[in-house]
Amino acid sequence: DTGVSQNPRHKITKRGQNVTFRCDPISEHNRLYWYRQTLGQGPEFLTYFQNEAQLEKSRLLSDRFSAERPKGSFSTLEIQRTEQGDSAMYLCASSPTPETQYFGPGTRLLVL
Amino acid sequence: QKEVEQNSGPLSVPEGAIASLNCTYSDRVSQSFFWYRQYSGKSPELIMSIYSNGDKEDGRFTAQLNKASQYVSLLIRDSQPSDSATYLCAVRSVAGSYQLTFGKGTKLSVIP
């Protein structure tokens, strides 16, 4: 499978716990994006990497969220001290150019 | 605040008919426009991109862009039940910003 992969696919956690998600982009894509999608809404941009550099971050993103892409390949998104409002689908996308973004299957997070 | 507006639907069309999906955007300097299809419980799948005024055709899909009216549409000809999904309009606004701003999506149902 040569598409974007994300792990885990589902995560259930208790409020206050930390969670970490992983995204493996398409191998030749140097651009990587994280989005969050809640029910009935379109995806909402969180952050963008070009290679290992984090070049854009949403102003709406809480400081409990942090993302890394240490070697310019896979990326991780960590949420600290989770809240019920963090329950959502977390989507990763990658692209070879700024224009076309290809999404992975997503990680569905439920915070109890 | 950049906004992308879509009629949430549901839009119901009979099999074989033309489905017309519409999207308006608020940021006049928007440059790139995309249509994604999202099946229930799945991640968005890119189906069309358009960058200049006019029509762009790809198989049964035609994207139309009118920058003066800040309007982009997607036509699906010979609609099939398998086209039943939520269609998301996405816009990339300014040079140097790589994030996509999504609308809430229009749910399309194709009735056999």
Side-chain angles (χ1 to χ4, degrees):
Chain A
D1 187 352
T2 57
V4 178
S5 62
Q6 292 186 245
N7 286 289
R9 296 290 306 276
H10 302 273
K11 179 71 176 179
I12 300 174
T13 191
K14 293 182 179 179
R15 189 175 52 188
Q17 298 295 303
N18 298 344
V19 294
T20 299
F21 309 140
R22 175 175 169 132
C23 171
D24 287 90
I26 296 170
S27 59
E28 62 269 24
H29 291 184
N30 63 343
R31 294 172 171 83
L32 187 147
Y33 315 78
W34 286 98
Y35 290 82
R36 174 174 62 190
Q37 186 177 24
T38 54
L39 196 62
Q41 304 294 316
E44 174 190 29
F45 173 78
L46 296 179
T47 192
Y48 161 69
F49 290 87
Q50 185 167 331
N51 299 311
E52 66 275 9
Q54 188 175 21
L55 297 185
E56 269 191 90
K57 188 174 177 181
S58 170
R59 286 171 292 177
L60 302 176
L61 198 60
S62 161
D63 59 7
R64 296 184 296 104
F65 288 69
S66 62
E68 294 183 339
R69 195 182 182 198
K71 297 183 179 179
S73 55
F74 72 92
S75 175
T76 58
L77 176 69
E78 181 183 19
I79 309 174
Q80 296 182 326
R81 305 181 305 280
T82 52
E83 302 173 356
Q84 287 183 324
D86 297 331
S87 296
M89 173 81 88
Y90 289 83
L91 294 162
C92 176
S94 71
S95 67
T97 71
E99 299 303 334
T100 51
Q101 298 181 22
Y102 299 94
F103 284 86
T107 294
R108 188 173 296 278
L109 173 66
L110 177 61
V111 181
L112 301 176
Chain B
Q1 179 79 14
K2 303 168 197 172
E3 293 185 351
V4 177
E5 300 287 342
Q6 295 181 254
N7 186 328
S8 61
L11 172 66
S12 294
V13 299
E15 183 175 356
I18 296 175
S20 177
L21 304 161
N22 304 315
C23 172
T24 59
Y25 58 94
S26 63
D27 191 343
R28 283 198 166 272
V29 298
S30 297
Q31 296 184 318
S32 311
F33 307 87
F34 307 89
W35 284 99
Y36 284 82
R37 177 175 62 199
Q38 187 171 29
Y39 293 112
S40 181
K42 303 295 186 182
S43 62
E45 173 192 9
L46 179 65
I47 53 173
M48 289 286 287
S49 59
I50 187 166
Y51 307 106
S52 54
N53 282 329
D55 295 358
K56 179 181 178 182
E57 186 174 320
D58 184 0
R60 295 188 296 113
F61 299 98
T62 299
Q64 299 174 318
L65 175 61
N66 184 326
K67 290 187 177 181
S69 300
Q70 295 176 236
Y71 176 89
V72 59
S73 65
L74 179 70
L75 300 178
I76 306 175
R77 289 182 300 281
D78 189 24
S79 296
Q80 301 297 309
S82 59
D83 295 326
S84 298
T86 296
Y87 289 81
L88 297 162
C89 174
V91 174
R92 188 169 82 88
S93 284
V94 298
S97 172
Y98 301 102
Q99 62 175 281
L100 295 179
T101 301
F102 284 84
K104 293 183 178 182
T106 298
K107 186 172 183 178
L108 172 66
S109 293
V110 180
I111 311 302

XYZ file of all heavy atoms in Angstrom, chain A residues 28-83:
478
model
N 7.574 9.729 -1.361
C 8.260 10.805 -2.082
C 7.692 12.189 -1.763
O 8.141 13.193 -2.314
C 8.208 10.572 -3.592
C 6.815 10.544 -4.179
C 6.187 9.165 -4.222
O 6.593 8.304 -3.407
O 5.284 8.944 -5.062
N 6.714 12.251 -0.855
C 6.093 13.534 -0.519
C 6.848 14.203 0.619
O 6.974 13.640 1.711
C 4.638 13.328 -0.109
C 3.747 12.909 -1.234
N 2.387 12.755 -1.073
C 4.018 12.622 -2.529
C 1.858 12.383 -2.241
N 2.832 12.292 -3.131
N 7.315 15.438 0.385
C 8.047 16.122 1.449
C 7.156 17.050 2.275
O 7.594 17.613 3.267
C 9.238 16.899 0.870
C 8.809 18.007 -0.075
O 7.681 18.030 -0.550
N 9.714 18.931 -0.337
N 5.902 17.188 1.874
C 4.973 18.054 2.603
C 3.974 17.206 3.376
O 3.437 16.232 2.838
C 4.250 18.993 1.649
C 5.172 20.008 0.985
C 4.463 20.782 -0.095
N 5.260 21.888 -0.594
C 6.209 21.768 -1.523
N 6.458 20.592 -2.060
N 6.880 22.830 -1.911
N 3.737 17.571 4.606
C 2.856 16.798 5.477
C 1.994 17.761 6.264
O 2.466 18.782 6.775
C 3.674 15.904 6.415
C 2.921 14.912 7.292
C 3.772 13.648 7.504
C 2.530 15.509 8.626
N 0.709 17.403 6.417
C -0.284 18.272 7.059
C -1.085 17.458 8.076
O -1.345 16.278 7.862
C -1.276 18.820 6.028
C -0.654 19.331 4.751
C -0.232 18.455 3.761
C -0.505 20.697 4.528
C 0.332 18.915 2.579
C 0.052 21.170 3.345
C 0.469 20.271 2.385
O 1.030 20.733 1.218
N -1.500 18.122 9.137
C -2.451 17.547 10.085
C -3.715 18.390 10.083
O -3.653 19.637 10.091
C -1.875 17.519 11.498
C -0.835 16.483 11.738
C 0.524 16.631 11.727
C -1.054 15.100 12.082
N 1.149 15.444 12.017
C 0.197 14.482 12.253
C -2.206 14.324 12.270
C 0.346 13.149 12.589
C -2.064 12.994 12.603
C -0.795 12.415 12.760
N -4.846 17.696 10.073
C -6.164 18.342 10.162
C -6.975 17.607 11.234
O -6.690 16.456 11.574
C -6.923 18.232 8.832
C -6.368 19.064 7.703
C -5.297 18.613 6.945
C -6.932 20.298 7.370
C -4.791 19.372 5.886
C -6.445 21.062 6.319
C -5.379 20.587 5.580
O -4.891 21.345 4.537
N -8.015 18.286 11.696
C -8.950 17.679 12.636
C -10.349 17.855 12.061
O -10.674 18.928 11.531
C -8.842 18.366 13.998
C -9.857 17.918 15.028
C -9.565 18.551 16.375
N -9.656 20.005 16.329
C -9.264 20.791 17.327
N -8.755 20.260 18.419
N -9.389 22.091 17.224
N -11.154 16.797 12.173
C -12.509 16.869 11.648
C -13.500 16.347 12.680
O -13.349 15.243 13.193
C -12.648 16.060 10.349
C -14.003 16.225 9.672
C -14.102 15.479 8.364
O -13.403 14.504 8.120
N -15.003 15.944 7.471
N -14.492 17.166 12.984
C -15.587 16.742 13.864
C -16.837 16.498 13.020
O -16.923 16.929 11.864
C -15.859 17.791 14.947
O -16.082 19.069 14.315
C -14.678 17.915 15.895
N -17.787 15.831 13.621
C -18.981 15.390 12.899
C -19.728 16.580 12.290
O -20.000 17.568 12.967
C -19.892 14.630 13.858
C -20.976 13.775 13.216
C -20.353 12.686 12.358
C -21.870 13.171 14.296
N -20.007 16.477 10.999
C -20.766 17.514 10.320
C -19.960 18.713 9.886
O -20.525 19.685 9.365
N -18.651 18.655 10.102
C -17.774 19.760 9.721
C -16.736 19.297 8.712
O -16.452 18.108 8.606
C -17.048 20.308 10.955
C -17.953 20.763 12.074
C -18.786 21.970 11.701
O -18.286 22.922 11.099
N -20.061 21.933 12.045
N -16.177 20.246 7.987
C -15.055 19.918 7.140
C -13.778 19.841 7.950
O -13.731 20.285 9.107
N -12.731 19.270 7.392
C -11.454 19.233 8.115
C -10.955 20.634 8.444
O -11.114 21.564 7.655
C -10.515 18.532 7.121
C -11.426 17.715 6.257
C -12.670 18.536 6.132
N -10.347 20.756 9.608
C -9.795 22.025 10.087
C -8.282 21.890 10.182
O -7.775 20.970 10.828
C -10.389 22.342 11.455
C -9.807 23.567 12.136
C -10.269 23.676 13.585
O -10.549 22.648 14.212
O -10.321 24.798 14.102
N -7.568 22.807 9.561
C -6.113 22.763 9.521
C -5.513 22.894 10.913
O -5.924 23.744 11.713
C -5.602 23.891 8.629
C -4.121 24.075 8.631
C -3.292 23.224 7.907
C -3.531 25.087 9.380
C -1.923 23.404 7.912
C -2.162 25.261 9.394
C -1.352 24.419 8.651
N -4.508 22.070 11.197
C -3.775 22.166 12.455
C -2.342 22.648 12.231
O -1.905 23.630 12.833
C -3.757 20.813 13.170
C -5.103 20.260 13.624
C -4.913 18.903 14.289
C -5.803 21.234 14.577
N -1.600 21.924 11.365
C -0.196 22.281 11.192
C 0.349 21.690 9.900
O -0.250 20.779 9.315
C 0.647 21.839 12.394
O 1.948 22.435 12.322
C 0.767 20.318 12.464
N 1.488 22.236 9.450
C 2.100 21.854 8.169
C 3.615 21.731 8.327
O 4.248 22.578 8.974
C 1.761 22.907 7.119
C 2.651 22.924 5.902
C 2.622 21.883 4.984
C 3.535 23.988 5.676
C 3.443 21.900 3.864
C 4.361 24.007 4.567
C 4.310 22.964 3.661
O 5.122 22.975 2.557
N 4.162 20.678 7.748
C 5.611 20.463 7.711
C 6.084 20.410 6.267
O 5.438 19.808 5.405
C 5.984 19.125 8.359
C 5.808 19.088 9.837
C 4.580 18.758 10.404
C 6.870 19.368 10.694
C 4.421 18.716 11.768
C 6.719 19.319 12.066
C 5.485 18.997 12.601
N 7.221 21.023 6.019
C 7.949 20.774 4.786
C 9.275 20.153 5.191
O 10.091 20.801 5.858
C 8.173 22.045 3.977
C 8.824 21.770 2.628
C 8.769 22.964 1.697
O 7.854 23.782 1.785
N 9.732 23.074 0.812
N 9.473 18.905 4.798
C 10.566 18.097 5.335
C 10.434 18.073 6.861
O 9.362 17.773 7.359
C 11.900 18.627 4.841
C 11.987 18.559 3.325
O 11.696 17.531 2.710
N 12.372 19.668 2.700
N 11.483 18.426 7.598
C 11.369 18.362 9.056
C 10.937 19.679 9.680
O 10.714 19.756 10.890
C 12.691 17.903 9.666
C 13.844 18.873 9.504
C 14.550 18.711 8.165
O 14.041 17.975 7.302
O 15.609 19.343 8.001
N 10.807 20.718 8.871
C 10.482 22.038 9.399
C 8.969 22.248 9.499
O 8.238 22.053 8.531
C 11.090 23.103 8.495
N 8.528 22.671 10.691
C 7.128 23.013 10.898
C 6.930 24.461 10.462
O 7.335 25.390 11.159
C 6.747 22.822 12.372
C 5.258 22.964 12.642
C 4.893 22.639 14.088
O 5.733 22.674 14.985
N 3.639 22.318 14.352
N 6.303 24.667 9.315
C 6.220 25.993 8.708
C 4.930 26.739 9.001
O 4.884 27.964 8.875
C 6.412 25.887 7.193
C 7.769 25.353 6.723
C 7.864 25.414 5.204
C 8.916 26.134 7.351
N 3.882 26.020 9.333
C 2.606 26.673 9.639
C 1.938 25.958 10.794
O 2.023 24.726 10.916
C 1.652 26.611 8.436
C 1.727 27.775 7.480
C 0.575 27.761 6.486
O -0.466 28.348 6.798
O 0.732 27.154 5.410
N 1.290 26.764 11.638
C 0.562 26.205 12.769
C -0.679 27.046 12.970
O -0.598 28.281 12.998
C 1.449 26.234 14.006
C 0.919 25.510 15.217
C 1.977 25.505 16.333
C 1.438 24.841 17.582
N 2.443 24.844 18.670
N -1.823 26.412 13.117
C -3.062 27.156 13.280
C -3.041 27.968 14.566
O -2.605 27.488 15.625
C -4.244 26.180 13.305
O -5.423 26.839 13.690
N -3.541 29.193 14.468
C -3.632 30.019 15.672
C -4.653 29.461 16.649
O -4.646 29.790 17.835
C -4.024 31.444 15.279
C -2.905 32.227 14.634
C -3.406 33.530 14.077
N -4.290 33.324 12.940
C -4.906 34.299 12.306
N -4.762 35.547 12.680
N -5.682 34.042 11.275
N -5.526 28.601 16.150
C -6.546 28.014 17.009
C -6.002 26.814 17.790
O -6.681 26.288 18.673
C -7.740 27.573 16.158
C -8.415 28.661 15.318
C -9.508 28.065 14.446
C -8.978 29.748 16.224
N -4.792 26.399 17.463
C -4.248 25.191 18.065
C -3.786 25.453 19.492
O -2.894 26.271 19.735
C -3.090 24.680 17.215
C -2.668 23.234 17.427
C -3.813 22.302 17.125
C -1.470 22.915 16.558
N -4.384 24.700 20.418
C -4.005 24.825 21.823
C -2.561 24.412 22.026
O -2.018 23.584 21.287
C -4.927 23.923 22.654
O -4.387 23.653 23.914
N -1.924 24.975 23.084
C -0.541 24.570 23.378
C -0.465 23.163 23.949
O 0.625 22.661 24.231
C 0.150 25.594 24.284
C -0.578 25.784 25.604
O -1.536 25.041 25.866
O -0.193 26.694 26.356
N -1.610 22.511 24.140
C -1.585 21.100 24.538
C -1.259 20.202 23.346
O -0.976 19.024 23.521
C -2.953 20.692 25.101
C -3.342 21.419 26.378
C -4.671 20.906 26.935
N -5.793 21.167 26.030
C -6.367 20.236 25.276
N -5.957 18.984 25.307
N -7.380 20.557 24.497
N -1.320 20.777 22.144
C -1.037 20.018 20.924
C 0.398 20.293 20.481
O 0.822 21.455 20.428
C -1.975 20.440 19.797
C -3.398 19.975 19.956
C -4.216 20.502 20.950
C -3.927 19.008 19.119
C -5.526 20.075 21.094
C -5.234 18.584 19.245
C -6.036 19.121 20.235
N 1.102 19.230 20.133
C 2.433 19.415 19.563
C 2.648 18.365 18.483
O 2.167 17.243 18.578
C 3.518 19.316 20.631
O 3.503 18.035 21.220
N 3.350 18.773 17.453
C 3.631 17.865 16.349
C 5.102 17.921 16.011
O 5.757 18.952 16.169
C 2.786 18.237 15.126
N 5.606 16.784 15.548
C 7.009 16.690 15.155
C 7.130 15.882 13.871
O 6.292 15.029 13.577
C 7.828 15.977 16.249
C 7.942 16.719 17.539
C 8.815 15.974 18.538
O 8.997 14.750 18.385
O 9.321 16.625 19.474
N 8.210 16.147 13.174
C 8.571 15.339 12.011
C 10.105 15.300 11.983
O 10.750 15.948 11.170
C 8.006 15.931 10.729
C 8.032 14.973 9.558
C 7.517 15.607 8.285
N 7.512 14.648 7.196
C 7.443 14.977 5.920
N 7.356 16.250 5.556
N 7.448 14.039 4.983
N 10.686 14.542 12.891
C 12.129 14.670 13.186
C 13.068 14.394 12.026
O 14.099 15.020 11.923
C 12.329 13.671 14.332
C 11.157 12.753 14.265
C 10.026 13.531 13.713
N 12.748 13.493 11.161
C 13.667 13.161 10.071
C 13.051 13.449 8.709
O 13.543 12.987 7.692
C 14.092 11.693 10.161
C 14.860 11.367 11.425
C 15.327 9.918 11.429
C 16.106 9.629 12.708
N 16.553 8.206 12.759
N 11.998 14.218 8.729
C 11.367 14.551 7.458
C 10.607 13.397 6.841
O 10.248 13.472 5.666
N 10.383 12.345 7.637
C 9.608 11.218 7.084
C 8.275 11.136 7.824
O 7.379 11.912 7.536
C 10.399 9.921 7.182
O 10.793 9.687 8.520
N 8.167 10.256 8.823
C 6.910 10.158 9.554
C 6.742 11.350 10.480
O 7.700 12.076 10.792
C 6.845 8.839 10.332
C 7.754 8.795 11.524
C 7.285 9.184 12.775
C 9.070 8.373 11.408
C 8.121 9.162 13.887
C 9.919 8.347 12.506
C 9.446 8.743 13.746
N 5.505 11.545 10.933
C 5.207 12.630 11.862
C 4.389 12.091 13.022
O 3.681 11.083 12.889
C 4.412 13.732 11.151
O 4.015 14.751 12.052
N 4.516 12.738 14.167
C 3.673 12.412 15.312
C 2.921 13.658 15.763
O 3.435 14.777 15.668
C 4.497 11.861 16.485
O 5.487 12.825 16.847
C 5.163 10.553 16.109
N 1.723 13.434 16.242
C 0.896 14.489 16.827
C 0.560 14.050 18.240
O 0.000 12.972 18.440
C -0.380 14.692 16.014
C -1.383 15.713 16.565
C -0.827 17.129 16.459
C -2.727 15.630 15.827
N 0.930 14.863 19.210
C 0.666 14.545 20.607
C -0.337 15.527 21.175
O -0.242 16.738 20.928
C 1.945 14.574 21.449
C 1.683 14.220 22.906
C 2.935 14.309 23.790
O 3.906 14.964 23.381
O 2.894 13.716 24.883
N -1.281 15.009 21.921
C -2.224 15.846 22.654
C -2.012 15.558 24.133
O -2.145 14.409 24.575
C -3.689 15.566 22.278
C -3.882 15.601 20.762
C -4.599 16.597 22.954
C -5.283 15.188 20.318
N -1.685 16.565 24.883
C -1.486 16.408 26.322
C -2.759 16.803 27.073
O -3.521 17.662 26.631
C -0.323 17.286 26.783
C 1.009 16.882 26.166
C 2.155 17.746 26.677
O 1.983 18.937 26.940
N 3.315 17.147 26.841
N -2.983 16.130 28.183
C -4.118 16.467 29.065
C -5.412 16.553 28.250
O -6.075 17.595 28.208
C -3.850 17.772 29.806
C -2.544 17.761 30.599
C -2.312 19.080 31.343
N -2.350 20.245 30.480
C -1.340 20.647 29.713
N -0.209 19.958 29.690
N -1.441 21.741 28.967
N -5.740 15.456 27.613
C -6.886 15.474 26.703
C -8.170 15.931 27.385
O -8.383 15.707 28.588
C -7.117 14.086 26.087
O -7.192 13.104 27.141
C -6.024 13.719 25.109
N -9.011 16.569 26.582
C -10.317 17.049 27.022
C -11.376 16.430 26.115
O -11.075 15.998 25.005
C -10.374 18.574 26.912
C -9.306 19.286 27.712
C -9.281 20.779 27.450
O -10.040 21.261 26.579
O -8.473 21.475 28.139
